[in-house]
Every structure is written in C-alpha cells, then in structure tokens.
Amino acid sequence: MPRIVCVAGARPNYMKIKPVMDALESRGAEVVLVHTGQHYDPAMNDVFFADLGIRPPDRFLGVGSGSHAEQTGRVMTAFEPLLDEVSPDIVVVVGDINSTLACALVTAKAGPLLAHVESGLRSRDWSMPEEVNRVATDRVSDYLLAPSPDAAENLRAEGYRDDQIHLVGNVMIDTLLANLERARASSVLDEYGLAKGEYGLVTLHRPANVDDPEVLTGLLKALGEIAGRLPLVLPVHPRASRRLAEIGVPGGIRLVPPAGYLDFIALQDSARVVLTDSGGIQEETTALGVSCVTLRDNTERPITVEQGTNVLAGRDPARIVSTVNGVLDAPPAPRRPELWDGHASDRIADVLLEGGTASTRRRPTDLPRTKDRTFPI
C-alpha cells in the first residue's frame, strides 16, 4: 500500500484532514501526519486535536506566524527535507491556507503525486490571500478533489482535464456528522446561560473585516443594532481581540473565549442565526439547517447560497441589519447539497488508492520527473 503524507496547519484544516486520514488508514495505507504549526495557540490548536480525536502529528514543523511570504517560505524550507526523507507516494493538502500552498509547491517539484482536498472553490476576489492559495495549489495538483458541482465546473472552465477532477463531496460535513451527537451533549449552552433559538452567534476573523478600523467599526455598529432585537455571542478570535478592545463592543454583544470544535458546533446548532465571515461556517450552518448571514461581498462557496441557508450581506452596516432582520422574519428553508452525506472521505480514499503512482501516471513522452499535468494558459 502507498505511503501518504497528510498536511495540516491551522484550525480549518483539522476538520478536513481527520476523516481523510481515517479513510486511508482503514484501507491499509501508511499515513504520515505533518503539522506545519501555522496555528500554534493552544486555544486554536490543541483543543481541536483533542475534540476530534486526531492522533499526535508524526512531524511538527513549528513555523509559527509572520507575513505571508515569511510563513510560506518557512513551511517550504521545513517541508522539503522532510519530503525527501519520508519519500511518500502521495501528498494530501487541504483548504487554502499558506501551509497548503507551501507544501503543494514543494511536492510539485519533488515528484510525489499531489492531491488537493476542496479543489475548485473560487471567490474570484484576488484581494483574498486564500484565493491566491487555492488557485495556485490547484494549478500544481494531480488530483483535484472537488466538494461541490460548482467547484468541479470551475475547474473544467479553467481547462483542467476530466481525469484530474473528482467530485467527492464535502469532508467538513463528514466530520460534522460524525461528531454532531457529541456536540449536542456539550454543556456550553448551560455554561453561558443560553437557550436554543434565543441568541445569534457571530464570528469575525478575516483581515478585510478586522484589520481596518473603519470597516470593523461599521460591522460593530450593525451588530449593536441587531443585538437590540436578538442577543449576540461572539467567540473572540485572537486576530480580532485587540481590535475589538480598542474600538469597544456595543451592548447586547457578549464576548466569550474561543470555543473548541464540539462546543462551537453546539453553539451553531442552537443559534437562531449565525453571522460570519468564515467559509467553513457557511458550510456547517448549511448542513445543520441554521440560518447564516455572511459578512462578505462574495463567497467561494456559492452552493451554500443556492442550495443552503446562507445569505450574503456584504459589509455595509445598513444592509447587514436589513438582511439579518429579513432572515429572522423569514428564515431560508434548510437544504443540504448532494454528496454532503458524511462519505466524502471514503470517496477520496478510493480515488487516491486506485489512481496509481507518479510513475504510472506519467505519459511515455514526459521528461524524467515531469508529472502528467496539463495546465490552462
């Protein structure tokens, strides 16, 4: 059986890599878990490993924070000798963080096959670092593992071959469904004195929302108005905590510490509405059937708007208030997209283990160590 390196680096990765590892190992593959250390705060890291039952990583790179270039460069420098030592057949990267791109670039030059989980998602907003990461990662990948039909269609439109594109479903939902009953047994609502359907949940972490004082002030103004109708709970992301303290939080908004995975799913599941700038939360609320208002002008997950419970509100305070009031008055009907069924990781494992090796996937006319890729121009 092949040796497969699975890479994780930050909170959004953990929920995606766990079911893939489980599915591969259940089929006999040798899995090496590499944690880059892009998230190193215990509140954003250790608690998720514990909640999800992820085994300790086989390798920890400890790259820490820094600018996009610094962080990406440190991951590449640390991952390259590891890859040479481990010599895997396949490397699996997930999502769109800097670690994803860094490990993808190293793998593409080193020779193993590269698989990208959550391939094909597009916001078409080049001001988002995540958009650059996901587009560039797809470009050098052998296996493009798409979570939804729109993602697969994006890849076809960009010129990727049909044999590269695999519509597998959403691994985030695998983890959600596997842990939902455990989450519902959480005591977090009792600890905060919350009742199901009687509060709204807020998350803010994207630089475009929390690093610009003018934008953040406007968002807090809108949240303050909404809190006059429905109390809001805001788990404070480390990125946003200092900014929130500087500007001040309106009454009716309760700041709480960052939540672990199970507690946060429990908070989402019982909320009347979730206000967020997170892509993953758009997916989780869709699967849970909870109304979601996204505080962004675009989304790389349009299926959550077309088939789910998500509504785009942008960042204009008046529009946000109006959108939330509309959702509270007439919640969107819950719908779960096809293949968001808890078995995406099984389909991924089947694709990877039946796909051959780098040598068998190369064309006879390829030069040595050149992988079988056709890129759009």
Side-chain angles (χ1 to χ4, degrees), residues 3-7 32-34 59 61 75-93 99-115 142 369 371 373:
R3 175 179 296 168
I4 300 177
V5 165
C6 289
V7 178
V32 178
L33 174 59
V34 176
R59 300 296 180 91
L61 304 185
V75 174
M76 293 180 71
T77 302
F79 189 64
E80 185 177 48
L82 183 154
L83 204 62
D84 184 57
E85 175 191 343
V86 174
S87 190
D89 299 289
I90 303 171
V91 173
V92 178
V93 296
S99 295
T100 303
L101 175 60
C103 293
L105 291 173
V106 171
T107 302
K109 294 184 178 185
L113 294 174
L114 177 65
D142 298 283
R369 298 186 64 78
K371 290 193 270 188
R373 297 189 179 98

Side-chain angles (χ1 to χ4, degrees), residues 149-210:
D150 58 285
E153 204 50 50
N154 288 336
L155 294 167
R156 293 189 188 96
E158 292 172 12
Y160 294 98
R161 303 188 315 271
D162 284 343
D163 70 299
Q164 291 176 280
I165 302 167
H166 304 272
L167 178 58
V168 294
N170 192 327
V171 292
M172 286 275 287
I173 308 308
D174 288 17
T175 297
L176 174 65
L177 296 179
N179 291 280
L180 186 54
E181 291 310 311
R182 291 175 63 218
R184 286 173 173 166
S186 165
S187 62
V188 68
L189 268 68
D190 292 336
E191 292 171 11
Y192 293 148
L194 301 172
K196 184 176 178 65
E198 295 185 6
Y199 66 93
L201 180 65
V202 182
T203 77
L204 292 171
H205 78 282
R206 290 194 179 275
N209 281 346
V210 302

